[in-house]
Amino acid sequence: MINWNTQDAHLIISCASASQFPETTQKEIVMVGKSNVGKSSLINAFTNRKRLAYVGQRPGKTRLINFYHINDELLLTDVPGYGFANRSKEEQIQYGVLMDSYFQQRHPAMMLILIDVRRGVGKDDIMMLDFARYNGIEHAIVLTKTDKLSRNKIANERRAVKKEYPDVKVLEFSSLNHDTREPIIEYMRSVL
């Protein structure tokens, strides 16, 4: 059982190519989502650190795959956000190669698919949900930035997502409310 309260959390490596991926026997949780969806904020909330993962103001800052060790028991993996249009064609190709290499070589125990509650489920999110299902990867949707909407609007969005994906666990996260991290951690504990 992963102890999230007494953590040794640190960045192992930021990888630009598959040859840099770390060897491990630990279980791995990969976090995916659009650029600027809040993956870094979620990592910081999980680890009770303000600056373990860089939180950028502009989308598209994460261009490498970042591997974080948690208590030598777990790897949290932050992959570059998808759907960022301002990347050059060459960068988009490199991103595709890096992501293909990741999923060919790694076997994550779980995938958290982060979706901005204000934006809803997009085509790239659907692709990741289908990918996780097809490859038998345990997965959940995490609706982020819930502090930006009223409880009523959040509930409506959550219902819409559950109607479309009744078999997928839907969780909520706000970087301003650390109580929202606990249900996500409990879900991960129950799966791992």
Side-chain angles (χ1 to χ4, degrees):
M1 169 117 24
I2 296 151
N3 183 352
W4 291 90
N5 295 322
T6 57
Q7 292 177 353
D8 170 29
H10 59 275
L11 174 69
I12 303 171
I13 190 169
S14 295
C15 301
S17 71
S19 64
Q20 298 173 309
F21 292 165
E23 301 231 355
T24 185
T25 56
Q26 283 97 14
K27 294 195 175 187
E28 187 168 338
I29 297 174
V30 62
M31 295 190 294
V32 302
K34 287 184 180 176
S35 292
N36 207 33
V37 75
K39 295 188 302 292
S40 297
S41 295
L42 186 56
I43 290 168
N44 290 337
F46 282 161
T47 60
N48 283 317
R49 306 273 179 87
K50 290 186 178 181
R51 292 188 179 92
L52 179 63
Y54 177 74
V55 179
Q57 296 302 312
R58 291 185 344 217
K61 293 301 278 185
T62 302
R63 295 177 183 234
L64 306 171
I65 297 180
N66 298 311
F67 292 88
Y68 298 90
H69 238 174
I70 309 296
N71 292 338
D72 292 325
E73 299 176 67
L74 174 73
L75 283 182
L76 280 179
T77 305
D78 179 15
V79 300
Y82 46 74
F84 186 59
N86 288 350
R87 288 198 175 128
S88 71
K89 191 72 168 170
E90 182 179 322
E91 285 178 309
Q92 290 177 24
I93 290 168
Q94 289 172 349
Y95 168 79
V97 168
L98 186 61
M99 291 304 294
D100 286 347
S101 297
Y102 174 82
F103 284 109
Q104 286 169 6
Q105 295 184 26
R106 311 295 288 195
H107 304 286
M110 179 185 297
M111 180 187 295
L112 296 179
I113 302 162
L114 279 64
I115 297 171
D116 186 328
V117 70
R118 302 167 300 172
R119 308 285 179 251
V121 180
K123 64 180 171 82
D124 291 320
D125 302 314
I126 293 168
M127 182 183 71
M128 293 311 297
L129 284 158
D130 290 343
F131 180 87
R133 187 176 292 120
Y134 179 80
N135 289 284
I137 302 170
E138 184 69 39
H139 56 285
I141 292 172
V142 179
L143 299 175
T144 63
K145 306 193 179 189
T146 56
D147 51 284
K148 309 281 188 189
L149 291 180
S150 70
R151 292 303 314 160
N152 192 38
K153 287 183 179 177
I154 294 166
N156 288 341
E157 184 60 30
R158 187 183 177 108
R159 271 193 297 276
V161 170
K162 281 304 285 180
K163 184 177 179 184
E164 193 70 28
Y165 302 97
D167 60 329
V168 178
K169 181 79 169 173
V170 179
L171 301 154
E172 298 174 19
F173 175 69
S174 164
S175 62
L176 301 181
N177 180 357
H178 275 237
D179 290 341
T180 60
R181 84 182 193 128
E182 296 306 321
I184 303 169
I185 289 171
E186 284 307 312
Y187 175 70
M188 291 190 297
R189 277 190 181 127
S190 72
V191 170
L192 300 178

